[in-house]
Structures are given as structure tokens and as C-alpha cells.
Amino acid sequence: MISLTTISQTVEMEFRKLLLASGFFLASWVLAVGGQNLPPCSFPAIYNFGDSNSDTGGISAAFEPIKPPNGEAFFNKPAGRAADGRLVIDFIAERLKLPYLSAYLNSLGTNYRHGANFATGGSTVRRPNETIFENGISPFSLDMQTAQFLQFKARTADLYRQAKNPSQRSALPNPQDFAKALYTFDIGQNDLSAGFRKLSFDQLRAQLPDIVSQLAIAVHRIYEEGGRTFWIHNTGPVGCLPIQLFYNLNPPRGFLDDHGCVKAQNDIAVEFNRQLRDRVTKLRAELPQAAITYVDVFAAKYGLIGTAKTEGFAEPMKVCCGYHVKYDHVWCGNKGSASGREVYGASCQNPSAFISWDGIHYTQGANQWVANRILNGSPSSIPAIPITQACHRH
């Protein structure tokens, strides 16, 4: 007769074998999800929605042009970007071997054959209740940007049909490319920044679900128009922007974290990102034909801030462009007065050594550092695949 002990040992051995087999299967699945054994995608175009972190000329075209020394480190002149050179969206275009994106609102010198950029500096996810002349909030919120995209797509189809020869069509987006394009989102930071100005932390936290919901609605609208590949950035560590301490030179004990960032503001950003990540998970179920990547920009930027010195950058709270001495602040490229004299918000001598360009936006060097971390498949992005394989559903 077989003893109960023998049966128990046999069951235990079989269970261990099953665990080993399951572990092997899981490891193989993770490798596949991580981007290995997947063919590269061929994106014919990029359509971007966002704020100044990815604006390549929209707000500059709609209102006053961005002034020098913006753009001078790479473009040798202002190029509609709030930086000394390229933004993360520019490095995305480079990685995909596509031209830099023309702003949708820019009427001259544009090329929309391989995509368009609907982002504008100061944009929010939700519709603003203030004007750009008050606090720099753009009137082109995310729902307006998606409406512009729908109009752009419809107008493209009309013009393509009306084109009389291949030469005319070559200057237009191919209508078939909309289904194959990459749709990128980098927006939400200004919703939080506006909330920090107007609301308590508890009031702002209560509004996060609606902000996330509005972003998801935009993704739904583009999916309904045939979009299938989405690359969605979470928001960065807003508490680490130098502007947060421009008028608070002596913060109280416990106000800052170990990296010198405003802890409570970063806590809000982390909660926003958690809710966005969970909503993206639901989007995958709601949009079964979509490939959606949740991109952890926060981890990349916070990692840079925490290792700034070892990565060859200056102190994260130091600003390259502008005049910022105690409570006197003259913004990058502007003239103003400080201590009874006229001053100019000039650039530092070596922008590539700084993380912060103007107190709000990153330098080209910092943008490139961040891009290298997220475009190769950040471990904390979901799924952790490189952008060149983002068209594959998981």
C-alpha cells in the first residue's frame, strides 16, 4: 500500500515540475513582451498631441514667436521649441527615421507627409478656464487637438481624391497611413501645475480621475478614426522643476525630498501616473485592435535628477537660460529689470551641462538622455518594449 507520505512527496515533486515549466513559459513570454523576437515596425507617420514638452512650433505660430536663444544649440535659431535644441519628440522622429514634425498651426515651411504635431505650449488635458495671457495656459486643450486631427484627416482624404497627378499626392499624407501611424501623447503636466496654483492638494487629487478620463476619451476618438498604435507618456516629476522654488527660497523642513524636489507635488504626479497606468490597462480591453504603450517618463526624469552629477550634469535646480537671482526673475530671451537695472535673460555658456533650460523645460542634452531611456524599452514602461516595436499588441 502506498503511504500518504509517498503520495504527498509525489504531488510535491509534480507541483515543483509544474512551477518550473510555468516559470520557463513565463520567462519566455516576458522575453517576447520585452521586445525580443519581434520584427521592427514601419511607421510612415507620427501624430503627436501634447504641451510644450513636445510642441515643435504650434504656440509660437498661434501667438508670439518664441525668442532666441531658444533653438540656437541645434537649429541655430528659434525653431518653435521651448529648449536650446531638440525635444523628446524630435528624438522619436530620428529613431523612426522620419522628418521632424511640423506644427499643425504653422502655415509656412511645413511638411505633413509623415505626420503632424498638434501639441501647443501650455496645453492641458481638460478645457481651460483661463486665458493664455494670464498664466500661459493654451486654448488648445486635448479635445481641441483631437478635433484638429479629425479635421486634418478628413481634409487630407478630400485633397488626396482631388489630386490630379502623383506629384500633387506626394505632398499630402497618404490616407492609408493613418492606420499605420504612431500616435504619441505627452500631456497632463499643465493640469497639475494649474491645480497647484488654484487648489489644495486634496482638491486636485479629487480631479485626477476626470483628467485621466478625458485623456482616455481622446485615445478612443483616434481609435475610432483608425489609429491603432499609441505611445502614451506619463507626467514627469513636476516637483523637480526649478520654477517650483523660484519664490520659496527657504522651504520648511520636510517640504523637499532627498533630491531637492517638492515632495507633495511629486506625490500628486505619482498618483496621476498610477491612475493613468490603470486606465491604459482598461483601454487595452476596450480597444482590442490597439497596441498601447504606457511610457514611464517620470522614472527616466527622476532617475536623471537623482544621478545628475554622475551623468555629467549640473545641479538639477540650476537654470541655464534666464536671469534668476533671489526673487528677481527675467525669463529666457526676455528683458526686464532687477535691482534697478535692465537685465537680459541670456543662455548659459554650456547648455548641454544643464538639465533645466529655463526653469520649466529641459535642455536638449537632458531630453536626449531621457529619450535614450524610454525609446529603448524602459523596464518600468508597460510593455517594456522599444518604440521601434510599439505596433505589436500585448
Side-chain angles (χ1 to χ4, degrees):
M1 181 179 294
I2 301 175
S3 68
L4 290 176
T5 301
T6 302
I7 294 174
S8 176
Q9 290 174 342
T10 302
V11 170
E12 183 178 356
M13 289 177 63
E14 292 303 316
F15 183 66
R16 286 180 177 177
K17 290 179 183 178
L18 180 61
L19 282 177
L20 287 172
S22 299
F24 176 77
F25 172 77
L26 180 61
S28 302
W29 179 82
V30 169
L31 286 175
V33 169
Q36 297 188 27
N37 303 321
L38 294 175
C41 307
S42 180
F43 295 114
I46 303 168
Y47 292 97
N48 181 66
F49 306 84
D51 52 33
S52 57
N53 289 316
S54 61
D55 180 5
T56 56
I59 208 68
S60 186
F63 294 93
E64 294 186 10
I66 290 179
K67 302 174 183 178
N70 287 285
E72 293 186 349
F74 182 79
F75 300 101
N76 299 314
K77 61 181 180 180
R81 295 155 172 81
D84 57 317
R86 290 163 292 179
L87 310 177
V88 171
I89 189 65
D90 295 313
F91 292 110
I92 289 176
E94 289 183 4
R95 182 64 59 90
L96 299 180
K97 296 180 171 56
L98 293 173
Y100 297 136
L101 292 183
S102 293
Y104 170 76
L105 295 173
N106 208 345
S107 58
L108 296 172
T110 54
N111 180 352
Y112 301 119
R113 183 68 182 84
H114 297 285
N117 193 352
F118 299 88
T120 63
S123 285
T124 50
V125 173
R126 301 198 300 178
R127 289 190 178 182
N129 56 8
E130 56 188 284
T131 73
I132 193 169
F133 304 105
E134 293 174 283
N135 293 294
I137 296 298
S138 168
F140 303 107
S141 51
L142 184 56
D143 63 334
M144 291 295 99
Q145 293 181 26
T146 52
Q148 289 170 342
F149 167 76
L150 298 182
Q151 180 179 353
F152 177 89
K153 182 173 180 287
R155 186 70 174 138
T156 292
D158 286 341
L159 292 173
Y160 204 83
R161 282 193 297 267
Q162 295 170 17
K164 297 179 180 179
N165 54 60
S167 177
Q168 291 180 347
R169 290 192 183 95
S170 67
L172 296 168
N174 187 328
Q176 295 181 352
D177 287 348
F178 286 102
K180 305 172 188 175
L182 176 68
Y183 294 87
T184 54
F185 290 78
D186 191 337
I187 194 166
Q189 178 175 309
N190 289 319
D191 294 85
L192 302 190
S193 296
F196 296 148
R197 288 198 315 270
K198 299 178 175 181
L199 306 172
S200 70
F201 287 116
D202 286 341
Q203 289 172 328
L204 178 55
R205 191 175 288 106
Q207 293 191 5
L208 296 182
D210 185 55
I211 300 171
V212 171
S213 176
Q214 293 295 321
L215 203 159
I217 289 172
V219 175
H220 264 274
R221 291 181 73 185
I222 293 170
Y223 181 85
E224 290 164 2
E225 288 293 319
R228 290 298 179 263
T229 304
F230 300 89
W231 181 266
I232 302 174
H233 291 188
N234 66 11
T235 199
V238 290
C240 298
L241 300 177
I243 189 177
Q244 310 296 8
L245 295 178
F246 276 4
Y247 302 99
N248 189 355
L249 301 182
N250 297 294
R253 185 183 181 89
F255 189 77
L256 305 178
D257 66 12
D258 294 341
H259 298 323
C261 306
V262 180
K263 186 177 184 301
Q265 292 183 348
N266 276 353
D267 287 345
I268 291 288
V270 168
E271 175 60 20
F272 172 83
N273 291 340
R274 184 193 67 78
Q275 293 188 25
L276 177 61
R277 182 193 64 217
D278 291 347
R279 189 66 186 89
V280 167
T281 299
K282 293 179 181 178
L283 279 173
R284 293 193 184 100
E286 295 165 0
L287 313 176
Q289 296 181 38
I292 310 175
T293 306
Y294 167 85
V295 185
D296 196 353
V297 172
F298 185 103
K301 289 184 174 180
Y302 198 63
L304 172 59
I305 289 161
T307 60
K309 287 186 177 180
T310 58
E311 294 293 336
F313 289 93
E315 290 287 343
M317 288 297 175
K318 287 186 176 180
V319 178
C320 173
C321 189
Y323 179 90
H324 305 287
V325 178
K326 294 186 177 180
Y327 292 102
D328 292 323
H329 300 286
V330 178
W331 290 98
C332 180
N334 292 325
K335 292 180 180 179
S337 61
S339 302
R341 62 188 180 89
E342 185 177 82
V343 297
Y344 172 65
S347 170
C348 60
Q349 290 187 345
N350 186 16
S352 62
F354 283 72
I355 292 176
S356 180
W357 168 240
D358 58 7
I360 300 175
H361 308 98
Y362 280 29
T363 62
Q364 173 179 260
N367 283 327
Q368 185 170 21
W369 194 97
V370 171
N372 288 339
R373 268 62 188 179
I374 63 173
L375 301 186
N376 293 325
S378 169
S380 52
S381 293
I382 305 172
I385 58 171
I387 196 168
T388 53
Q389 297 172 336
C391 63
H392 299 287
R393 294 191 298 275
H394 302 282

